[in-house]
Amino acid sequence: MKRYLITLNVNGDAHTLLVKGNAILTNVLREQLDLTGTKKGCELGDCGSCTVLLDGKPVDSCLVLAIEADGREITTIEGVMENGRLDAIQESMINHAAVQCGYCTPGMVLSAKALLTRNPNPSEQEVREAISGNLCRCTGYVHIVEAVMATAQGRLTPDDH
């Protein structure tokens, strides 16, 4: 199998790596860069647990070849925190009980973050559409939607009004 020298710009840092031509971005992030917040789920692009932001847009990293990401900006859940502080969507999800087992949480956070970046005041329907590619078997989505809506409104806890 042919190998390629690529540069992945992950969470603001450039990483030059040697990868096989069929290497999947999920595996490269987890195995070569030790960024295990990107979860492996169905590996078919159905569950969203492997969601990362590629040039600011949510993608299922299990469907992206690492060589396709060469030179592009990648944000994983590890890159969402700034200066040791959780991002507003992360705080809101914790405070609104939108996190249970946590397996879907990284993908949910990244999908919600991408939505709020492009649309800071989404409707509930737009939130539901934005997270529709992320499956959660624990929460039933109600608290997740509430957390995203609250973040858009600047309410990080359920008691903020």
Side-chain angles (χ1 to χ4, degrees), residues 85-96 147 150-161:
R85 296 200 58 188
L86 294 176
D87 186 79
I89 188 65
Q90 291 172 301
E91 278 190 50
S92 186
M93 288 186 76
I94 291 167
N95 294 335
H96 286 85
T151 303
Q153 298 162 4
R155 296 182 297 110
L156 300 185
T157 65
D159 296 332
D160 289 347
H161 294 291

Side-chain angles (χ1 to χ4, degrees), residues 75-89:
T75 304
T76 69
I77 194 65
E78 291 89 351
V80 174
M81 185 184 290
E82 287 189 32
N83 300 320
R85 296 200 58 188
L86 294 176
D87 186 79
I89 188 65

Side-chain angles (χ1 to χ4, degrees), residues 141-155:
Y141 302 96
V142 171
H143 293 294
I144 295 168
V145 172
E146 286 174 357
V148 177
M149 295 295 294
T151 303
Q153 298 162 4
R155 296 182 297 110

Side-chain angles (χ1 to χ4, degrees), residues 3 19 22 36 50 58 64 78 86 88-89 102 104 111 138 144 157:
R3 295 182 184 266
V19 299
N22 65 347
T36 57
C50 66
V64 178
E78 291 89 351
L86 294 176
I89 188 65
C104 72
S111 291
C138 300
I144 295 168
T157 65

Side-chain angles (χ1 to χ4, degrees), residues 115 118-119 121-131:
L115 168 67
R118 75 175 180 275
N119 180 1
N121 191 26
S123 67
E124 181 177 330
Q125 183 59 37
E126 289 169 319
V127 171
R128 290 184 179 279
E129 286 174 18
I131 65 170

Side-chain angles (χ1 to χ4, degrees), residues 4 9 28 37 42 48 52 60 68 72-73 75 82 104 125 132-133 142 161:
Y4 297 85
N9 299 306
V28 170
C42 67
V52 299
D60 293 321
E68 293 177 300
R72 298 173 72 186
E73 295 295 324
T75 304
E82 287 189 32
C104 72
Q125 183 59 37
S132 66
V142 171
H161 294 291

Side-chain angles (χ1 to χ4, degrees), residues 43-55:
E43 298 185 75
L44 298 170
D46 292 332
C47 74
S49 65
C50 66
T51 300
V52 299
L53 301 183
L54 188 61
D55 296 330

